[in-house]
Amino acid sequence: MKVLKFGGTSVGSPERFEKLWPIIQSQKSDRKLVVLSAVAGTTNALVAIAAHYAQGEVAQARQMIQQLFQSYQVFVYTLFVTTEGIEKGHTLIQSHFTLLDELGNDLFTSVEERWVLAQGELLSTALFHQYLTEKRIASVLLPALDFMRISEDQEPDLPYIQQQLNDKLTQFPTATLFITQGYICRNAFGEIDNLRRGGSDYTASLIGAALKVEEIQIWTDIDGFHNNDPRCVSNTKPIAHLSFDEAAELAYFGAKILHPQSVFPAQKANIPVRLLDTLDIQAPGTLISSTFDHPDEIVAVAAKDNITAIRIHSSRMLLAYGFLRRVFEVFERYKTPIDMITTSEVAVSLTLDDCTHLQAIIAELNHFGKVEVDEDQTIVCIVGDFKRNKNGYATLVSEAVKHIPIRMISYGGSEHNISLLLPSKYKIEALRALHHRLF
């Protein structure tokens, strides 16, 4: 079995819907399970609708619901070709938008908010299943809410997912094509919830791990990871093969094609993940697996913007144990993760990308010593095979950016990553200089 996940842009229009079946049909596998995101633009609209409801702005919410409904009416009339298909499609979307409208009649809580956000994937999968039915293509619609569950700690309950999913599949022994929703799930209390980390990609990875499939495919509108940001650098090239660790580094440090945590279940189960392009189905894409065929190489450069650097200078650090623990406890109290860290005998510098509690954090850090804050910073990440017995990579990187002011350097914390912190205004210059020197 293969799992095929199609993102929002891949199902963003009736024309894109029509192109999915040839892709699915071309896969050489006895059984296929298709995971769909919401139609492009739908989730953003639903977030706005939920926000209006939460603020008591029922009229504004219902106006947006009507606008979204009208766009789906056009979608239905374009996608289906028979009178019966159009009527069924209209009945389908009407039921979902009636529900959205009725949510404004009562108290709107976080439970109702998650109901609103779930409608995008429920709509896209039901419409695609109905489209295949009109084409006389057999498929089974598997509601993700019947098998996808997270614990009280917001972590996937993989044993439950595995048991429920296998039970569902055994009910259809002759079926070869299954369709389910990405992103949505139930929580430990049975309420509708969502997976957050990478959404539909995470769903595909969890399903693949639960079923021990041969391959997970993530279909987007990009032909895999590139060795640099094509928006900033010309002549970038797609990367044919990455290890899971390298892919996670690239995803975390700016490559938007994949959420850094979404493939962890596949990595743990040792199931390869292939990134492919629905707009260019002949492109080989990027294969992510536990093995890789480019040892001793730098494979890519990525950048992460909107970084804030904090420097704490204190003479009390000198020979003082427990100092860093007390510093980290501040960030722990405010649930704020740290990206990079460098230390000396009298100072520690670190970075974060979540500034929600920045002022409160600074106020507490002032008790330890002098605090300096630099905003508008960028982390540039160089990814490759940096085992401890290799040499020369630090020199290559430093020579490439010797004309650019570097705020911090992190090397050695990972065997796959060298990170540089620099002012954001030098980001493009740094990416181009590294590209020219390294590739």
Side-chain angles (χ1 to χ4, degrees):
M1 174 179 271
K2 288 184 180 181
V3 174
L4 286 72
K5 176 264 178 178
F6 294 95
T9 54
S10 299
V11 295
S13 67
E15 293 75 22
R16 297 280 178 88
F17 256 58
E18 294 168 1
K19 293 179 179 179
L20 297 191
W21 171 240
I23 293 174
I24 296 167
Q25 193 178 31
S26 69
Q27 298 303 309
K28 296 178 181 179
S29 180
D30 294 337
R31 306 180 99 187
K32 300 140 191 170
L33 197 155
V34 174
V35 178
L36 297 185
S37 297
V39 172
T42 299
T43 300
N44 288 341
L46 293 174
V47 169
I49 290 167
H52 282 305
Y53 272 146
Q55 295 165 14
E57 300 166 350
V58 176
Q60 293 93 322
R62 285 177 169 160
Q63 182 179 3
M64 290 197 67
I65 290 170
Q66 185 60 31
Q67 292 172 350
L68 189 60
F69 176 61
Q70 290 172 356
S71 70
Y72 269 88
Q73 282 183 309
V74 174
F75 198 102
V76 164
Y77 288 126
T78 306
L79 180 64
F80 297 102
V81 295
T82 65
T83 301
E84 181 183 8
I86 292 173
E87 290 177 351
K88 287 184 176 180
H90 186 270
T91 300
L92 169 66
I93 63 171
Q94 182 71 62
S95 66
H96 285 273
F97 282 94
T98 297
L99 169 64
L100 287 172
D101 190 83
E102 291 176 346
L103 287 173
N105 295 333
D106 299 305
L107 180 66
F108 192 83
T109 69
S110 60
V111 174
E112 285 73 27
E113 178 185 11
R114 294 192 293 269
W115 264 98
V116 171
L117 299 183
Q119 299 308 307
E121 282 73 18
L122 293 172
L123 275 165
S124 64
T125 49
L127 285 170
F128 186 60
H129 175 63
Q130 199 160 299
Y131 167 75
L132 293 178
T133 301
E134 185 184 60
K135 296 292 183 182
R136 301 185 183 279
I137 300 167
S139 65
V140 176
L141 185 59
L142 292 177
L145 298 177
D146 288 352
F147 62 84
M148 192 63 66
R149 187 172 76 176
I150 56 176
S151 67
E152 292 186 42
D153 297 325
Q154 304 295 310
E155 294 297 329
D157 187 345
L158 196 57
Y160 176 89
I161 296 168
Q162 189 171 34
Q163 179 66 50
Q164 295 299 316
L165 193 49
N166 277 290
D167 288 348
K168 296 290 180 186
L169 295 182
T170 56
Q171 296 175 20
F172 306 96
T174 61
T176 59
L177 177 59
F178 301 89
I179 303 166
T180 195
Q181 300 85 23
Y183 178 62
I184 65 174
C185 63
R186 290 194 185 275
N187 59 30
F189 306 102
E191 302 163 342
I192 290 182
D193 213 314
N194 54 70
L195 295 172
R196 296 171 185 85
R197 304 170 186 168
S200 298
D201 292 348
Y202 203 24
T203 300
S205 186
L206 287 166
I207 290 174
L211 298 178
K212 301 293 191 292
V213 300
E214 58 187 284
E215 184 175 272
I216 299 165
Q217 296 183 353
I218 308 294
W219 290 83
T220 67
D221 57 351
I222 304 173
D223 60 340
F225 278 106
H226 277 234
N227 63 354
N228 210 322
D229 189 340
R231 297 167 300 181
C232 303
V233 180
S234 59
N235 300 317
T236 64
K237 295 180 181 179
I239 305 169
H241 197 178
L242 285 171
S243 69
F244 280 110
D245 290 333
E246 290 171 334
E249 296 280 9
L250 282 174
Y252 185 76
F253 287 103
K256 301 298 184 183
I257 188 173
L258 199 66
H259 189 281
Q261 293 178 309
S262 62
V263 297
F264 280 177
Q267 180 179 11
K268 190 174 181 180
N270 197 25
I271 296 168
V273 177
R274 195 179 297 273
L275 307 180
L276 296 160
D277 186 0
T278 51
L279 304 181
D280 184 7
I281 61 175
Q282 302 302 321
T286 299
L287 176 66
I288 306 170
S289 69
S290 57
T291 60
F292 54 106
D293 53 10
H294 50 258
D296 309 331
E297 287 185 15
I298 293 175
V299 295
V301 178
K304 186 177 183 180
D305 295 321
N306 301 314
I307 300 297
T308 296
I310 299 175
R311 181 174 181 268
I312 307 137
H313 184 279
S314 172
S315 57
R316 287 179 291 170
M317 280 188 66
L318 186 62
L319 302 179
Y321 60 86
F323 183 87
L324 286 178
R325 173 182 57 80
R326 294 193 295 273
V327 169
F328 291 151
E329 283 175 348
V330 174
F331 292 90
E332 182 180 4
R333 281 195 291 276
Y334 291 98
K335 294 180 169 55
T336 301
I338 295 170
D339 289 318
M340 291 174 61
I341 180 168
T342 60
T343 65
S344 71
E345 289 188 348
V346 294
V348 55
S349 291
L350 47 84
T351 70
L352 52 141
D353 62 359
D354 180 0
C355 294
T356 306
H357 305 289
L358 179 61
Q359 294 308 314
I361 290 171
I362 292 172
E364 291 203 32
L365 293 178
N366 278 322
H367 296 300
F368 299 118
K370 181 181 178 182
V371 178
E372 299 174 359
V373 178
D374 291 325
E375 298 180 325
D376 298 321
Q377 303 289 301
T378 292
I379 294 176
V380 174
C381 166
I382 300 93
V383 172
D385 178 28
F386 306 130
K387 297 293 193 298
R388 283 169 294 188
N389 59 339
K390 307 299 190 298
N391 53 42
Y393 291 124
T395 301
L396 280 174
V397 170
S398 60
E399 285 182 350
V401 294
K402 61 184 179 182
H403 61 295
I404 296 173
I406 304 299
R407 173 70 170 73
M408 288 171 60
I409 298 176
S410 176
Y411 181 29
S414 165
E415 293 183 338
H416 302 283
N417 174 12
I418 299 174
S419 293
L420 311 174
L421 181 72
L422 46 87
S424 294
K425 64 182 179 180
Y426 295 104
K427 166 190 166 180
I428 294 178
E429 185 178 354
L431 290 177
R432 290 174 178 172
L434 286 164
H435 192 82
H436 177 75
R437 184 68 179 87
L438 302 180
F439 305 124

